[in-house]
Amino acid sequence: MTAADTATRVDGLRFGYGTNGFANHRLDDALAVIADLGYAGVALTLDHDHLDPFAPGLAGRVDAVAGRLAELGLGLVIETGARFLLDPWHKHAPTLLHDDPTLRIEFLRRAVAIGADLGAEAVSFWAGVRPDSVTPAVAWDRLVAGCATVVEAAETVGATLGFEPEPGMLVENIADWRRLHAALGSPARLGITLDIGHCRCLESQPVPDCVRDVAAHLVNVQIDDMRRGVHEHLEFGVGEIDFPPVLAALREIGYRGLVAVELPRHSHAAPTIAARSLDFLRAAERAAAPGPTTTAPPDGAATEGAVAGGAVAGGAATGGADVPADTSRHVLCSASTDAPPGVRYPDNDRRVE
């Protein structure tokens, strides 16, 4: 079954789950659990135990994954955010911004080829954090050159790229993505990966408006809860996002790609959290549907993070809109290198003192 077949048989949004939230599972087991729970697809992060693109027998392993995806009826996007796949000592290194980005470029080329072989809906990647020794101008030039190489690879095999703005990285917001897209000549193969949590973290406009803003270029969606100014992926209902208006915006723009849960630090309880997340998203989607939302949803109430009156319990916003952004100051995420003293960095446990 192809991703297109999956899309046509699913009513409403197509929810997926990221394998980086199943780091303690074998890939085959993770795919089975995700499918059994009722997800429509998977966001596959290429990593040591999850289709390592540098391990021997790649062609055979790709073929096996293709067969498994077809058997389970799962759509697919490829993610490239593995932490220590390329360097056992340094997270995400090298990036396209380092002095020698050769290994990163080779990794992205392989990811594009694997995505094409598997019929992936998108291959997602990001810029990376600018090394202290590299000036912003040099880093930007390196990013544009590296992305041009990746775009060329995607054009050769007919793959779609989704570039993800990431808090603290050289391209961290939608405006940065637009600048990069323009610098590359606005290639048709380069769309945007939008992480819903990142929008709440640092974008100045409400999250649903972020969705509408990038509608023409949206090829991949990651979804998680988050708080303003803190780059930490949270379970639904723990952060500040009001999800029904976000899901309504995705439906409004006619988005048909995967909406994949992105909880990379929750592998310790992956099946339970994945089940809870899907219950939450389905309830939020019901609340986003036209008509009254105060009646009890079909099949009873959702699990943790139930929807009530059109707003998700645990979210800070009510009335179908996010809390207005505080535009009076620059918003700093915990991944930003210029965060104020005492700010916690969940991604690497360091603090600015």
Side-chain angles (χ1 to χ4, degrees), residues 117-183:
D117 287 345
L118 293 176
E121 300 170 26
V123 177
S124 185
F125 68 116
W126 35 243
V129 176
R130 178 177 63 83
D132 292 338
S133 60
V134 180
T135 66
V138 169
W140 182 258
D141 288 343
R142 289 177 177 178
L143 176 63
V144 173
C147 286
T149 300
V150 179
V151 168
E152 182 180 3
E155 289 173 341
T156 299
V157 297
T160 296
L161 299 172
F163 193 97
E164 180 188 3
E166 181 84 19
M169 293 191 177
L170 188 64
V171 173
E172 69 172 1
N173 57 34
I174 293 171
D176 292 339
W177 176 87
R178 291 191 183 281
R179 180 190 174 203
L180 176 64
H181 194 245

Side-chain angles (χ1 to χ4, degrees), residues 85-116:
L85 178 66
L86 306 183
D87 185 333
W89 289 95
H90 304 100
K91 178 184 173 183
H92 292 157
T95 71
L96 295 173
L97 313 181
H98 280 80
D99 292 341
D100 185 3
T102 304
L103 188 56
R104 173 62 57 175
I105 290 174
E106 177 60 23
F107 172 42
L108 293 176
R109 280 175 171 161
R110 294 187 182 209
V112 167
I114 291 169

Side-chain angles (χ1 to χ4, degrees), residues 4 32 76 201 219 320 331:
L76 174 75
C201 179
V219 298
V331 175

Side-chain angles (χ1 to χ4, degrees), residues 1 74 79 105-106 112 123 130 183 201 217-218 266 281:
M1 181 176 293
L74 290 172
E79 297 284 351
I105 290 174
E106 177 60 23
V112 167
V123 177
R130 178 177 63 83
C201 179
H217 303 285
L218 189 59
H266 293 71
L281 289 171

Side-chain angles (χ1 to χ4, degrees), residues 30-331:
L31 296 178
V33 172
I34 290 168
D36 287 348
L37 287 173
Y39 282 96
V42 61
L44 171 56
T45 296
L46 303 179
D47 209 340
H48 297 286
D49 292 327
H50 290 174
L51 198 53
D52 184 346
F54 295 101
L58 179 60
R61 290 183 289 113
V62 169
D63 187 59
V65 171
R68 191 65 169 139
L69 290 170
E71 177 185 351
L72 296 171
L74 290 172
L76 174 75
V77 296
I78 294 290
E79 297 284 351
T80 57
R83 295 184 179 91
F84 295 100
L85 178 66
L86 306 183
D87 185 333
W89 289 95
H90 304 100
K91 178 184 173 183
H92 292 157
T95 71
L96 295 173
L97 313 181
H98 280 80
D99 292 341
D100 185 3
T102 304
L103 188 56
R104 173 62 57 175
I105 290 174
E106 177 60 23
F107 172 42
L108 293 176
R109 280 175 171 161
R110 294 187 182 209
V112 167
I114 291 169
D117 287 345
L118 293 176
E121 300 170 26
V123 177
S124 185
F125 68 116
W126 35 243
V129 176
R130 178 177 63 83
D132 292 338
S133 60
V134 180
T135 66
V138 169
W140 182 258
D141 288 343
R142 289 177 177 178
L143 176 63
V144 173
C147 286
T149 300
V150 179
V151 168
E152 182 180 3
E155 289 173 341
T156 299
V157 297
T160 296
L161 299 172
F163 193 97
E164 180 188 3
E166 181 84 19
M169 293 191 177
L170 188 64
V171 173
E172 69 172 1
N173 57 34
I174 293 171
D176 292 339
W177 176 87
R178 291 191 183 281
R179 180 190 174 203
L180 176 64
H181 194 245
L184 290 165
S186 302
R189 290 283 173 187
L190 182 64
I192 188 170
T193 290
L194 192 68
D195 187 306
I196 298 303
H198 295 172
C199 295
R200 178 58 188 160
C201 179
L202 52 65
E203 296 288 352
S204 61
Q205 58 186 333
V207 180
D209 288 346
C210 292
V211 171
R212 298 182 183 98
D213 188 24
V214 300
H217 303 285
L218 189 59
V219 298
N220 184 29
V221 173
Q222 300 168 355
I223 193 163
D224 46 79
D225 211 343
M226 207 167 283
R227 301 187 183 101
R228 189 142 193 87
V230 181
H231 183 207
E232 185 172 8
H233 293 244
L234 303 172
E235 274 198 76
F236 301 114
V238 177
E240 299 172 342
I241 299 174
D242 184 21
F243 282 95
V246 177
L247 301 185
L250 287 169
R251 296 182 67 165
E252 172 191 319
I253 67 171
Y255 177 73
R256 296 299 299 161
L258 287 178
V259 181
V261 178
E262 178 81 356
L263 292 174
R265 298 188 178 275
H266 293 71
S267 294
H268 62 283
T272 299
I273 292 173
R276 195 155 61 207
S277 297
L278 187 56
D279 282 347
F280 182 98
L281 289 171
R282 284 174 169 168
E285 187 178 26
R286 288 195 294 269
T293 58
T294 56
T295 57
D299 303 321
T303 57
E304 182 176 317
V307 174
V312 176
T318 58
D322 285 315
V323 175
D326 178 2
T327 57
S328 64
R329 61 180 175 82
H330 175 63
V331 175

